[in-house]
Amino acid sequence: MRDAGQIGTPLTAAATRVMLLGAGELGKEVAIELQRLGVQVIAVDRYGDAPAMQVAHRGCVVDMLDAAALRGVIAAEQPHIIVPELEAIATEVLAEAEAAGVRVTPTARAVQLTMDRQGIRQLATNLGIPTSQYRFAGSVEELHEGVAEIGLPCVVKPLMSSSGKGQTMLRALDDVAAAWKHAQVEGRGNSGVDAAATEVIVEEFVDFDYEITLLTVRSVSGTVFCPPIGHVQVDGDYRESWMPAEMSQQALAAAQDIARAATAALVTEVASTDSTTEAGGWGVFGVELFVKGDDVLFNEVSPRPHDTGMVTMIGQDVSEFGMHARAILGLPVPEPNPVGGPGQEFSASCAVLATGSGIPVFEGVDVASTAPTTQVRLFGKPRVDGTRRVGVTLARGASIDEARTLARQAADALRVRLV
């Protein structure tokens, strides 16, 4: 890996090459930020013409769960930095690449731990970080036992998944078998109920007041935090977010302490240190937390920009994607500054969904863009089959309610036709 602060010229022998493993809407924004810094970007995903491929120097279609195929594309492209942007990756290949001198963001170990709910919960427990009660289960029978210990209602999730895939809110014992089957079919890398069974986690349902994402940025400068982001999820998938979320100073301080400890432990062998490792340990982490009064519980952490953090594209001077790009390149990352003058102190985002099968065509973009403090971002996803997030609206306002209303109105003005 070349020295931090040195960036070559793209498409030459001196290029600084960054490979994105995952080329969706979040990867697209990271690619744009890297392009602005003169980095050569290689975007990899399982399907062609993915959003980040449309703005990268090169796009590669690879099943990233196929270890041999993933090794092949890394060998062919010779990246200096690998940036995992999703969960469906053969993580052993990342460890091999890191051992060979390629920087994996933040580290291969961090990626492996955060893709495994068992690993991340045990890490939190070892650190003394408060979490909801949980049990692991490797069979339907063990799941019944775990539910009996945790109590109803509870949440059943695959150990490896994202965006709510395979998740069930369990309210009756009669539904345990169905929850087990759903987790097996939808878990990361599973090929169906006939595949070898994988463990699930059953979690206590927390009666929280609200939940937040605390974007935590580790860089050569140290650790900084974005303002807390409130959000709404449906079936575990993001629908709306806003910043700054209203919370007490005591709760915010507790949230920052938890996020600092969890992210430091992910990238260092000694959890008490805030230093970076030789392999980097840098980048944006999306730390999800439950808040009840002044009490904060750890939920999950992702070692990459977070979908709820798309609101930072309108709410602060450097978005989470710009901060991520700077951090992974070894550049300083200062604390972000809010944007917007009086009457625009709060920001919000609203996801735009499409349901059906076909190529998205957007109508009403002009109406959605009418309000001066509103923006529309269309991801460029090549096709929809089922329900898929295809865009996001962003807005600023004098209050959280006003910003959310403006973002929703813009989203409602968009009509997605599938052709």
Side-chain angles (χ1 to χ4, degrees):
M1 180 60 207
R2 59 190 57 199
D3 295 337
Q6 175 182 317
I7 297 177
T9 298
L11 304 177
T12 72
T16 299
R17 296 180 297 277
V18 173
M19 175 176 284
L20 302 178
L21 297 184
E25 59 266 32
L26 304 185
K28 178 179 182 178
E29 295 296 334
V30 174
I32 290 171
E33 295 291 347
L34 289 169
Q35 290 269 18
R36 287 174 173 151
L37 290 167
V39 172
Q40 182 170 321
V41 180
I42 305 104
V44 180
D45 215 314
R46 58 183 173 77
Y47 64 97
D49 298 328
M53 292 182 186
Q54 299 169 23
V55 297
H57 291 92
R58 287 177 53 80
C60 303
V61 178
V62 170
D63 178 359
M64 289 170 285
L65 286 171
D66 183 331
L70 185 55
R71 287 190 191 98
V73 75
I74 292 172
E77 298 295 338
Q78 293 290 301
H80 299 103
I81 304 173
I82 295 176
V83 184
E85 287 294 318
L86 45 67
E87 287 76 14
I89 298 173
T91 54
E92 68 274 18
V93 178
L94 300 181
E96 294 169 6
E98 188 174 83
V102 180
R103 177 177 293 166
V104 177
T105 300
T107 66
R109 173 178 175 268
V111 174
Q112 290 170 328
L113 277 173
T114 53
M115 288 182 184
D116 179 0
R117 286 191 169 93
Q118 185 170 21
I120 199 64
R121 283 305 179 99
Q122 291 176 340
L123 178 72
T125 299
N126 293 340
L127 292 172
I129 293 174
T131 69
S132 60
Q133 296 186 65
Y134 62 92
R135 299 291 186 275
F136 300 112
S139 65
V140 175
E141 293 74 24
E142 290 182 2
L143 181 56
H144 271 285
E145 294 173 3
V147 170
E149 292 180 27
I150 295 296
L152 294 170
C154 59
V155 182
V156 177
K157 304 175 184 177
L159 286 189
M160 295 187 181
S161 70
S162 64
S163 300
K165 292 181 177 66
Q167 178 174 311
T168 300
M169 172 64 75
L170 195 61
R171 301 183 184 278
L173 292 175
D174 291 343
D175 296 330
V176 167
W180 170 263
K181 181 178 179 180
H182 183 53
Q184 298 305 306
V185 171
E186 297 293 335
R188 178 178 76 86
N190 287 8
S191 57
V193 293
D194 294 330
T198 59
E199 278 194 292
V200 302
I201 184 172
V202 52
E203 299 176 345
E204 170 192 13
F205 176 73
V206 178
D207 183 24
F208 53 84
D209 296 333
Y210 55 93
E211 55 184 321
I212 66 164
T213 303
L214 188 60
L215 296 175
T216 304
V217 191
R218 290 178 56 87
S219 74
V220 67
S221 306
T223 300
V224 299
F225 303 99
C226 295
I229 298 171
H231 57 262
V232 172
Q233 295 190 7
V234 177
D235 297 327
D237 200 13
Y238 146 80
R239 291 291 184 269
E240 292 183 69
S241 65
W242 56 90
M243 66 184 293
E246 294 180 349
M247 58 192 306
S248 70
Q249 286 300 312
Q250 182 175 338
L252 179 59
Q256 291 178 345
D257 286 345
I258 289 172
R260 188 187 302 274
T263 56
L266 280 174
V267 299
T268 59
E269 294 296 331
V270 181
S272 61
T273 182
D274 191 43
S275 63
T276 53
T277 65
E278 184 178 346
W282 300 325
V284 169
F285 297 77
V287 183
E288 297 181 39
L289 303 160
F290 298 132
V291 184
K292 179 77 171 179
D294 291 331
D295 296 326
V296 180
L297 294 179
F298 172 83
N299 182 26
E300 293 182 356
V301 57
S302 59
R304 63 186 67 86
H306 202 270
D307 50 8
T308 63
M310 284 191 280
V311 68
T312 62
M313 291 190 287
I314 197 170
Q316 58 190 46
D317 57 346
V318 181
S319 73
E320 64 169 340
F321 309 106
M323 298 176 84
H324 196 52
R326 293 185 189 187
I328 66 179
L329 292 171
L331 305 178
V333 181
E335 289 191 19
N337 295 307
V339 297
Q344 299 181 31
E345 296 91 347
F346 296 89
S347 305
S349 75
C350 184
V352 178
L353 305 179
T355 300
S357 294
I359 300 168
V361 175
F362 298 88
E363 299 172 345
V365 181
D366 53 345
V367 179
S369 306
T370 300
T373 60
T374 300
Q375 299 177 16
V376 175
R377 303 291 175 92
L378 306 179
F379 301 149
K381 291 188 175 178
R383 184 173 178 84
V384 172
D385 287 296
T387 296
R388 202 170 190 193
R389 193 167 57 214
V390 292
V392 67
T393 56
L394 308 167
R396 289 197 298 266
S399 66
I400 289 174
D401 287 343
E402 182 181 9
R404 291 180 67 184
T405 297
L406 288 170
R408 283 194 213 111
Q409 289 175 342
D412 291 342
L414 288 170
R415 299 179 301 281
V416 187
R417 182 164 52 90
L418 300 178
V419 298

